[in-house]
């Protein structure tokens, strides 16, 4: 089970202290170097529990430090803490001593941070993409607190492979809504703070406001593949490769026996290698039937998001890591690279019964028809467009 | 999990309308905050959960869609996400899509409807959007006019994706060869799909019967150079228009969806004048 807490992005605020995050929980410990040295003395810092246990044993009063932990307890998020660490909810800021013992939903929490720090505004104070330097997915890092981001306006990032619509208006793009579905009460009739216990939240996109820039019409006739084009290379990842021309002048894989476009045998084709734009090499066909064109690199993961030069294939499965594997096109080759995934990546060539384990970070060139298994949860097949002679 | 859905955000679901390629449509009651007089809206819940980049792309795309403001586009009232699950609410059609209603329409109404749809597509093209998913089940009927709906948002969320397990290999028939070769969707690829739709609306058969029974890989290869079979029930001028739309070279197709619409309206007028003489 994934905790809703794991779906939240965590931006670490630079400063004195430490921020730890593991599946199902996070902790912020703040204080000067001496206090932190004592805190870490002889501790097993490989998980959340030892840190929380250590924090509980310390009397934080008057020491200029403190801690606050948020831990998923199935029925909600348990909050505990002490000393100079604050919990910032959407509508109020509470010291560790005043913080509620439980919060229904991580989206209600804005930040956990040192009492002396102000809550940064996402987008201006935190301009860096959170998957980069400031994002914490797992582990322990220095920092004075953490800003939780369940929904926020990303700085405009280049979006590969699609036309970028005109710049959005400056007005906020989304509006958050909270619905209180019920007013739960304890058996004795005591009302529970409904905004905390059962709030459900959603966001709507503002779509009706006028556009800042006049949208540009589509070009009249699209330029054909292989001809000169004005389109920026990064959108299409247009790559020049060497190939052969079939008798009808279609560009093909150098070892292609029949032309993929017209079906003519390439036996009589000129064997002279010519340069051309790399066509689609084939398709990744997933076990649910979805298919992806191999004309670009892909990053495959749980709620994967685009990396530079990689288009995301997002699989909603707990057994799949966020950056589970990548598919990279190298010339005419399609390479599989495991991204140091938790549950591993295996592949099977079509003429073999054996599954081989992909070593993290090491590209494996996939043969046409190869199957790939992601963490034992999902599979896909590489279907090549080209029928080529074996090497 | 999906089957047991009763609501999303502040929409109350009344019945499932059907599975689209990338999500499920529900008939729902609109929330008061929209201030709508219509009793129902169609809410689409996408299968894919997304994240901020996806929301941003989708919000941008919907804002541009809204700017197209054509009477031949299904109006989108609202869009958003709840816990990463994206939804959008649009006009609800009591009569359903052209795919459902095809049998009850006269030839002239069918032609007028396709012309409406082409005008809607043209309005999108003029604001820089390609629809990418023009097909009969996305053409909604409202009181004798048709509106193009269900913008192909899946490719905004998942760029590079070409087909889904929901669609049969037959749904590849709407993909223009240049799109399969990796070019961006544009006017010409929507015109291709308009031609394919026109053919199947008029005669109930695919213009690419050769796709039948092919594996996905072979279907993609087939569609790079598809063999066209125009049904004999089409008139000579209807057949000419369909054949031009599905030409492999996009330069041989009507250059805009608007030009296609004008040609279809001429066909409709021809049918109507014959009907007028015989009745």
């Amino acid at each position: 089970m994934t905790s809703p807490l794991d779906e939240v992005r965590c931006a670490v605020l630079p400063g004195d202290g430490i921020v730890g995050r593991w599946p199902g929980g996070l902790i912020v410990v703040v204080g000067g170097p001496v206090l932190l040295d004592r805190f870490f003395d002889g501790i097993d810092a490989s998980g959340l529990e030892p840190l929380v246990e250590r924090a509980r044993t310390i009397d934080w009063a008057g020491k200029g430090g403190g801690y606050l932990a948020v831990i998923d307890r199935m029925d909600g998020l348990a909050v505990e803490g002490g000393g100079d660490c604050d919990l910032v909810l959407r509508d109020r800021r509470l010291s560790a001593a005043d913080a509620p013992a439980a919060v229904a939903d991580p989206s209600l929490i804005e930040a956990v941070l040192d009492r002396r720090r102000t809550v940064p505004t996402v987008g201006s104070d935190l301009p860096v993409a959170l998957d980069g330097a400031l994002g914490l997915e797992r582990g322990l890092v220095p920092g004075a607190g953490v800003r939780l981001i369940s929904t926020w306006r990303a700085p405009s990032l280049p979006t590969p492979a699609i036309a970028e619509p005109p710049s959005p208006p400056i007005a906020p793009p989304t509006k958050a809504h909270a619905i209180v579905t019920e007013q739960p009460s304890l058996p004795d009739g005591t009302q529970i703070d409904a905004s905390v216990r059962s709030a459900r939240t959603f966001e709507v996109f503002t779509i009706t406001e006028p556009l800042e820039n006049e949208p540009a019409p589509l070009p009249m006739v699209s330029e054909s593949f292989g001809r000169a084009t004005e389109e920026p290379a990064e959108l299409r990842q247009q790559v020049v490769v060497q190939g052969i021309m079939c008798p009808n002048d279609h560009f093909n894989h150098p070892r292609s026996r029949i032309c993929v476009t017209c079906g003519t045998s390439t036996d009589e084709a000129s064997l002279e290698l010519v340069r051309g734009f790399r066509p689609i090499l084939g398709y990744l066909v997933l076990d649910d039937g979805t298919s992806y064109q191999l004309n670009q690199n892909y990053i495959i993961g749980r709620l994967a998001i685009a990396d530079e030069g990689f288009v995301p294939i997002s699989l909603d499965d707990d057994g799949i890591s966020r950056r589970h594997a990548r598919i990279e096109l190298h010339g005419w080759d399609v390479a599989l690279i495991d991204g140091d995934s938790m549950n591993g990546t295996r592949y099977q060539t079509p003429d073999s019964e054996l599954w081989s384990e992909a070593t993290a970070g090491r590209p494996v060139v996939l043969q046409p028809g190869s199957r790939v298994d992601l963490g034992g949860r999902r599979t896909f097949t590489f279907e090549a467009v080209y029928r080529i002679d074996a090497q | 999990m999906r089957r047991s859905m009763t609501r999303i955000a502040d929409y109350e679901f009344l019945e499932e309308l059907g599975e689209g390629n990338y999500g499920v449509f529900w008939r729902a009651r609109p929330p008061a905050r929209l201030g709508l007089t219509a009793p129902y809206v169609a809410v689409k819940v996408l299968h894919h959960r997304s994240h901020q980049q996806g929301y941003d792309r989708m919000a941008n795309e919907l804002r541009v869609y809204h700017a197209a403001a054509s009477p031949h586009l299904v109006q989108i009232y609202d869009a958003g996400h709840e816990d990463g699950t994206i939804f959008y609410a649009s006009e609800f059609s009591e009569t359903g899509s052209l795919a459902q209603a095809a049998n009850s329409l006269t030839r002239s109404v069918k032609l007028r409807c396709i012309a409406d749809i082409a005008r809607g597509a043209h309005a999108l093209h003029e604001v820089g959007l390609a629809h990418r998913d023009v097909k009969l089940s996305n053409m909604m009927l409202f009181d004798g006019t048709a509106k193009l709906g269900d913008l192909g948002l899946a490719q905004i969320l998942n760029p590079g994706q070409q087909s889904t397990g929901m669609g049969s290999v037959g749904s590849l028939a709407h993909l223009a060869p240049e799109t399969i070769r990796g070019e961006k969707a544009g006017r010409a690829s929507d015109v291709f799909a308009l031609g394919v739709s026109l053919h199947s609306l008029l005669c109930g058969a695919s213009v690419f019967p050769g796709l039948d029974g092919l594996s996905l890989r072979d279907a993609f290869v087939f569609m790079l150079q598809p063999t066209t079979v125009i049904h004999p029930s089409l008139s000579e001028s209807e057949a000419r228009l369909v054949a031009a739309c599905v030409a492999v070279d996009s330069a041989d197709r009507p250059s805009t969806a608007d030009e296609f619409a004008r040609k279809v309206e001429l066909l409709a007028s021809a049918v109507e004048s014959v009907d007028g003489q015989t009745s």
Side-chain angles (χ1 to χ4, degrees):
Chain A
M1 271 298 289
T2 317
S3 158
L5 199 54
D6 298 339
E7 301 298 328
V8 172
R9 300 207 234 180
C10 286
V12 175
L13 317 178
D16 286 342
I18 60 108
V19 177
R21 183 187 193 193
W22 286 271
L26 62 90
I27 185 170
V28 173
V29 183
V30 298
V34 178
L35 188 61
L36 287 178
D37 272 353
R38 239 180 55 214
F39 180 87
F40 279 107
D41 188 28
I43 201 170
D44 163 23
S46 63
L48 189 64
E49 286 305 319
L51 298 180
V52 173
E53 276 166 29
R54 173 64 59 91
R56 283 179 191 145
T57 65
I58 294 179
D59 175 17
W60 295 96
K63 292 201 176 63
Y67 86 104
L68 201 131
V70 181
I71 304 158
D72 194 2
R73 296 279 188 227
M74 305 296 286
D75 53 344
L77 301 175
V79 176
E80 64 166 90
D84 296 341
C85 198
D86 285 0
L87 176 71
V88 184
L89 299 175
R90 282 211 178 139
D91 51 346
R92 64 208 151 157
R93 179 167 181 156
L94 301 163
S95 71
D98 297 332
V103 174
D105 176 331
S107 72
L108 299 169
I109 305 178
E110 272 201 355
V112 176
L113 78 180
D114 194 316
R115 173 174 295 171
R116 294 155 288 241
R117 300 292 295 258
T118 54
V119 182
T121 308
V122 173
S124 53
D125 297 344
L126 283 179
V128 180
L130 291 172
D131 310 292
L134 295 179
L136 175 62
E137 287 194 354
R138 183 190 173 99
L140 200 62
V141 294
V146 67
R147 173 77 162 86
L148 273 60
I149 293 138
S150 43
T151 45
W152 66 293
R153 176 102 189 113
S156 56
L157 299 167
T159 46
I162 59 158
E164 190 64 50
S167 309
I170 293 164
T174 56
K175 287 178 187 157
H177 292 258
I179 342 165
V180 178
T181 46
E182 65 202 52
Q183 286 279 342
S185 55
L186 297 174
D188 63 1
T190 319
Q191 288 284 316
I192 301 171
D193 179 357
S195 68
V196 173
R197 297 301 301 183
S198 63
R200 308 178 47 130
T201 56
F202 64 95
E203 278 194 323
V204 295
F205 310 140
T206 52
I207 56 175
T208 55
E209 48 203 49
L211 294 164
E212 200 178 48
N213 304 320
E214 190 70 26
L218 288 175
M220 292 306 282
V221 181
S222 68
E223 285 126 343
S224 288
F225 195 74
R227 290 181 212 159
T229 162
E230 297 292 303
E231 202 179 327
E234 63 267 24
L235 283 182
R236 281 260 302 270
Q237 298 187 2
Q238 233 170 35
V239 174
V240 174
V241 289
Q242 292 201 316
I244 52 170
M245 302 301 266
C246 87
N248 296 323
D249 269 357
H250 298 120
F251 189 59
N252 277 277
H253 189 289
R255 281 183 284 124
S256 175
R257 282 171 296 169
I258 51 169
C259 170
V260 73
T261 305
C262 62
T264 315
S265 163
T266 54
D267 287 349
E268 287 144 45
S270 154
L271 290 179
E272 190 189 339
L273 288 176
V274 292
R275 288 154 70 81
F277 289 127
R278 178 173 60 201
I280 286 184
L281 299 183
Y283 302 88
L284 299 181
V285 182
L286 270 64
D287 47 11
D288 64 359
T290 52
S291 64
Y292 292 82
Q293 290 187 333
L294 287 168
N295 59 337
Q296 57 202 348
N297 298 332
Y298 289 101
I299 178 157
I300 309 172
R302 180 167 53 88
L303 295 176
I305 58 174
D307 268 358
E308 204 182 339
F310 290 85
V311 172
I313 297 178
S314 178
L315 303 175
D316 197 2
D317 188 306
D318 292 347
I320 303 234
S321 300
R322 279 182 184 267
R323 292 185 176 79
H324 199 106
R326 298 194 303 281
I327 293 290
E328 289 182 10
L329 308 187
H330 299 153
W332 292 94
D333 288 339
V334 175
L336 166 76
I337 301 154
D338 177 69
D340 201 9
S341 64
M342 184 96 84
N343 294 324
T345 302
R346 281 157 287 273
Y347 61 96
Q348 184 190 43
T349 48
D351 50 4
S352 163
E353 298 273 290
L354 287 176
W355 286 91
S356 313
E357 188 87 26
T359 313
R362 242 173 71 197
V364 177
V365 173
L366 292 178
Q367 301 307 309
S370 291
R371 288 179 67 201
V372 175
D373 172 293
L374 302 168
R377 306 299 291 252
R378 300 291 302 270
T379 61
F380 65 84
T381 308
F382 160 44
E383 299 284 0
V385 163
Y386 293 88
R387 295 193 169 95
I388 54 170
D389 291 325
Q391 218 148 8
Chain B
M1 184 196 98
R2 182 168 61 66
R3 296 282 156 191
S4 65
M5 274 184 96
T6 57
R7 46 160 295 286
I8 193 163
D10 45 1
Y11 291 86
E12 181 197 340
F13 291 162
L14 299 167
E15 62 172 324
E16 189 179 317
L17 294 171
E19 185 106 15
N21 251 355
Y22 314 107
V24 180
F25 275 106
W26 296 86
R27 185 165 67 94
R29 253 191 259 288
R33 68 183 162 83
L34 296 181
L36 295 179
T37 49
Y40 308 117
V41 292
V43 174
K44 184 166 191 184
V45 179
L46 299 189
H47 290 320
H48 287 283
R49 276 156 56 76
S50 195
H51 41 67
Q52 196 59 45
Q53 276 186 23
Y55 310 150
D56 290 349
R57 282 194 212 127
M58 182 153 166
N60 282 341
E61 188 101 342
L62 288 173
R63 246 176 256 135
V64 180
Y65 181 91
H66 191 262
S70 159
H72 304 304
L73 291 174
V74 168
Q75 203 187 334
I76 294 184
Y77 298 124
D78 187 36
H81 75 95
E82 179 174 343
D83 294 336
T85 300
I86 291 186
F87 65 90
Y88 62 92
S90 56
E91 275 179 283
F92 172 73
S93 161
E94 295 283 353
T95 34
S97 73
L98 275 183
Q100 295 158 312
N103 293 334
S104 60
L105 303 176
T106 65
R107 196 172 199 85
S108 123
V109 171
K110 286 176 182 175
L111 291 166
R112 296 278 172 201
C113 283
I114 284 277
D116 287 349
I117 294 297
R119 302 253 185 234
H122 184 70
L124 283 180
H125 299 162
E126 289 300 293
V127 296
L129 288 185
H131 185 280
R132 305 184 196 88
D133 203 15
V134 172
K135 56 184 179 188
L136 294 180
S137 56
N138 285 340
M139 304 176 185
M140 309 311 291
L141 273 175
F142 294 87
D143 269 345
T145 65
K147 300 185 183 189
L148 182 58
D150 203 12
L151 195 63
L153 289 167
Q155 278 149 40
I156 298 303
L157 299 174
N158 271 341
Q161 183 170 339
Q162 276 300 346
S163 71
T164 78
M166 302 302 153
S168 61
V169 165
S171 66
L172 290 184
H174 296 80
L175 273 186
E178 72 274 12
T179 316
I180 294 182
R181 284 198 305 264
E183 288 183 32
K184 285 197 306 189
R187 291 178 192 267
S189 55
D190 279 353
V191 167
F192 182 95
L194 282 167
V196 173
S197 304
L198 171 62
H199 185 272
S200 55
L201 181 63
L202 290 179
C203 66
S206 168
V207 70
F208 304 124
L211 265 182
D212 252 13
L214 295 186
S215 71
L216 187 68
R217 179 204 170 276
D218 290 346
F220 274 115
V221 173
F222 176 90
M223 286 307 294
L224 284 170
Q225 198 86 16
T227 314
T228 304
V229 180
I230 308 252
H231 197 270
S233 69
L234 268 69
S235 74
E236 202 184 313
S237 38
E238 287 165 350
R240 253 203 316 272
L241 179 56
V242 170
C245 289
V246 300
V248 170
D249 189 341
S250 56
D252 295 341
R253 299 176 203 153
S255 57
T256 65
D258 197 52
E259 184 188 328
F260 172 87
R262 286 198 303 274
K263 291 188 165 161
V264 175
E265 276 158 3
L266 286 177
L267 295 174
S269 301
V271 169
E272 283 152 17
S273 74
V274 170
D275 288 350
Q277 282 162 19
T278 50
S279 60

